Amino acid sequence: MAERKPNVLLLVVDACRFDYLRGPRAETPNCDALAAEGTDFRRAVSPAPWTLPSVTSVLTGKYPHEHGATARQFAMRRGRTVTADLRATGYRCLHLSPKTWIGDWLPQGEGFHRVEEFTGPDHRHFDGGADVRRLSAGVARGPEWYATVVRRALRSENPARSLANAAMYKYREATEDAWLDDVRASEDAARIADERFADFADREEPFFAYAHLMDPHLPFYVPEEFRTDVRPPGCTTYDEELDYLDDLMDDLWAIRLGDRRLSAAELDYLRRRYADEVEYADAVIGRILDSLEAHGLAEDTLVVLTADHGEHLGEGDGRTLLDHQTSVGFPLLRVPLVARLPGEFDGGTREDLVQTNYVAETVRALAGLGHDEERSLLAADGNAAADTPDTAVAEYEGVVRSHPPEAVADERLFRTRRTAIAGDWKLDEIGGERRARRIDWDGNGTEPVAVDAVPEETRRTLDRALPGEGDGGFEGGGRDEAPADPAVPDDVESNLRELGYLE
């Protein structure tokens, strides 16, 4: 009888920095335990600083300029997902995530037997009424919110139910219940995972489960038991903190451009709340791993824990950046990566430079499929590719053209950025200009240096690694020449607005 192929559980934590999950700032006992049992990759780099291209890379093994899913176009143009490969060999495939830049509305999210999507607060309590997010799009709290919502509700197809949705939302907001679903959305992921693991335990065929947790993505809503005693400047209550977070989300474009700088007190608050969010994510990961063990699946399952990208928490030359747009900064690109599989990934740390798109090739190899040895986490493949210099690359095509508000027309938002990392050096190409930085791996940061300060041999390695402008993700180079993307579903658009992508 042929040896059974391993199950695969891929856990992706959104916007999770290395230093807060595996580094010196980490307070994550469940992830620590996983790393102690598996292999802890200490120098893992995402090929992109935001979700759409990075997750597509994780699921295909390809870089953004190869698969083509970027800010210029959403759908993968080339390549094949590991989901499709595993399904073709008999795996049962589960997708578990919120509806944002991931999901089966895009080709790279297709091919799963079952899609379980969880999202934030319930904004539509009464069927037939308009979603409160649509009624209030573009307005902050206060009298303007009420006037706009009432006006739009009266113009909707079902005014009575739309007004009832708004009234129920405001009632729940007043009692803090409106945030409960969003705050505890990851717990829904753990609950659903437990139900599916029970199903998988009764099946003969192996499974592939992809689970994407939104903590610690902005805005930082944290369950009360994980919320440390910290408040934004001038705030004394949690209601005031929520108001501050609303205003902060409204100001993201100004922060990205450097028109608003965050104060030291604000950054202290945001870093602590971010850490709270990571601790909450760790608790949920612990529940998912406990469930895997309880159903007798742990010994036969490759568990991979990583992030799609990191997060800025005040870094930025001349800017106090927050979130993960308009930059290829080191805190956005260095991410946690832990793999556990008895007999293959079962102890120790690795300091070699790897990338998160290596996950797909690793899974293909363990499933007995053909794979690229130079893009694999397997020790045997690493030995086979030992003559290849360790170099990581990442790419960013600017913000999605339709996302900034009309008043924001700054071309800096759409500037192409590429970076290559080798050893302790990082070489950026931003709008045709080259910049160099020295990496402090222990401190999870960099310092700017002159380009000619990079050793010549290393500079040549970095130059070769940087993909050229002609290597973009679609033929011809013009957005209008690419095949049409699928329309963004209404519920996905609403969720993207909540996360600060849309105005």
Side-chain angles (χ1 to χ4, degrees), residues 16-19 44-50 308-317 319 321-335 393-396 415-421 426-430 435-441 444-447:
C16 190
R17 293 166 58 124
F18 169 84
D19 50 346
V45 175
S46 172
W50 68 292
D308 50 355
H309 53 77
E311 183 80 343
H312 271 310
L313 293 172
E315 302 88 356
D317 297 331
R319 299 179 286 172
L321 287 174
L322 192 63
D323 87 339
H324 40 270
Q325 296 290 327
T326 69
S327 175
V328 285
F330 190 69
L332 300 189
L333 301 178
R334 188 187 186 189
V335 293
V393 296
E395 311 163 41
Y396 178 72
R415 189 178 294 164
T416 297
R417 300 168 186 263
R418 308 179 195 280
T419 192
I421 294 170
K426 183 173 184 284
L427 184 62
D428 299 340
E429 188 174 78
I430 302 173
R435 305 174 187 175
R437 307 186 78 90
R438 187 193 300 269
I439 300 171
D440 175 9
W441 290 96
N444 204 56
T446 61
E447 62 173 351

Side-chain angles (χ1 to χ4, degrees), residues 57-104:
S57 290
V58 170
L59 291 175
T60 62
K62 296 188 176 299
Y63 292 97
H65 70 274
E66 295 173 333
H67 60 62
T70 70
R72 297 180 182 178
Q73 55 192 32
F74 304 152
M76 178 183 71
R77 301 303 189 223
R78 291 185 292 277
R80 181 178 171 91
T81 65
V82 69
T83 314
D85 292 337
L86 294 179
R87 179 166 180 160
T89 61
Y91 276 73
R92 297 293 299 178
C93 299
L94 168 69
H95 177 110
L96 177 60
S97 77
K99 291 182 178 179
T100 57
W101 291 117
I102 41 187
D104 58 356

Side-chain angles (χ1 to χ4, degrees), residues 25 37 72 89 110 186 212 266 318 320-321 328 364 389 427 444 459 468:
R25 296 182 174 91
E37 297 170 353
R72 297 180 182 178
T89 61
E110 295 175 350
S186 290
H212 194 111
E266 287 179 291
T320 51
L321 287 174
V328 285
R364 289 182 174 114
L427 184 62
N444 204 56
R459 195 161 65 243

Side-chain angles (χ1 to χ4, degrees), residues 24-64:
R25 296 182 174 91
E27 299 176 34
T28 50
N30 295 294
C31 294
D32 290 349
L34 179 68
E37 297 170 353
T39 301
D40 192 3
F41 294 86
R42 309 292 292 180
R43 297 191 177 189
V45 175
S46 172
W50 68 292
T51 304
L52 173 70
S54 63
V55 168
T56 304
S57 290
V58 170
L59 291 175
T60 62
K62 296 188 176 299
Y63 292 97

Side-chain angles (χ1 to χ4, degrees), residues 299-311:
E299 288 298 309
D300 299 319
T301 300
L302 167 67
V303 177
V304 177
L305 170 66
T306 190
D308 50 355
H309 53 77
E311 183 80 343

